[in-house]
Amino acid sequence: MILNKLPLVFLSRAGTAFLSFMVMLYLMKCLSLEQFADYSLYFTIFTMCAVIPNMGVNNYIVLENKNKENFIKIKNVRLYFFCFFLLILLILYESNLVSSKLMLFSISAGFLSSIFDLNMSLQQAHKNMFKYSLYMPFKTLLMTLVAFY
């Protein structure tokens, strides 16, 4: 196993963690307690919706990286899941079970951001560590921009 890409991945992960930490400190300073609580709620929903669609899929992609047909099947399953998700979201909104547009935005953005995790796993499976190391900071930057929305 060649470890020459390890520093790049480490720096990417460390930079992402540091950026997330600094954003959190900045938000704690700038927002009132109530605003920060609201932000935390919506960010938690965002994070949950980013994790659920890829549960187990990412590890499977990395472990079964030889079979390219599986990648196509996984992308198709993700597409079906996304269509199902949009239908559920529409039903929730139309039935007024979720009336907050910010809540809907958090849910939608979370599911859309799960695409980053899927692509990170694909890059990791193909051993393209340079692209892999770029996805995490880009996702964090996108999440930061969403947080300031």
Side-chain angles (χ1 to χ4, degrees):
M1 182 170 162
I2 299 173
L3 297 177
N4 61 351
K5 304 283 184 180
L6 187 60
L8 181 64
V9 174
F10 173 78
L11 287 175
S12 172
R13 293 276 180 167
T16 300
F18 181 74
L19 178 62
S20 297
F21 179 71
M22 295 307 291
V23 167
M24 193 62 62
L25 289 178
Y26 179 75
L27 290 174
M28 288 170 60
K29 180 181 177 192
C30 294
L31 299 176
S32 70
L33 184 60
E34 183 179 322
Q35 290 172 325
F36 188 74
D38 287 343
Y39 165 79
S40 295
L41 170 69
Y42 292 122
F43 190 74
T44 300
I45 291 168
F46 170 86
T47 304
M48 180 186 70
C49 291
V51 170
I52 288 174
N54 290 329
M55 228 178 264
V57 173
N58 294 341
N59 292 337
Y60 179 79
I61 288 173
V62 173
L63 294 174
E64 298 293 328
N65 62 359
K66 303 289 186 220
N67 192 345
K68 295 193 183 215
E69 291 177 15
N70 286 343
F71 293 145
I72 295 169
K73 289 178 184 176
I74 287 170
K75 285 185 177 183
N76 287 339
V77 166
R78 294 274 302 150
L79 181 62
Y80 297 140
F81 182 80
F82 188 70
C83 291
F84 177 72
F85 155 73
L86 287 177
L87 177 66
I88 295 297
L89 197 60
L90 182 65
I91 290 169
L92 288 174
Y93 185 70
E94 290 299 321
S95 64
N96 289 327
L97 291 174
V98 176
S99 59
S100 166
K101 290 189 181 187
L102 189 54
M103 180 80 72
L104 288 173
F105 179 76
S106 297
I107 293 169
S108 301
F111 275 106
L112 288 174
S113 78
S114 70
I115 295 168
F116 280 98
D117 293 331
L118 181 65
N119 284 321
M120 280 177 58
S121 295
L122 289 171
Q123 297 307 322
Q124 188 177 16
H126 293 301
K127 300 192 180 2
N128 189 344
M129 292 303 170
F130 179 73
K131 283 186 179 177
Y132 173 78
S133 66
L134 293 178
Y135 273 104
M136 184 60 82
F138 187 71
K139 178 183 175 186
T140 302
L141 181 63
L142 180 66
M143 289 171 39
T144 303
L145 293 175
V146 168
F148 286 112
Y149 170 71

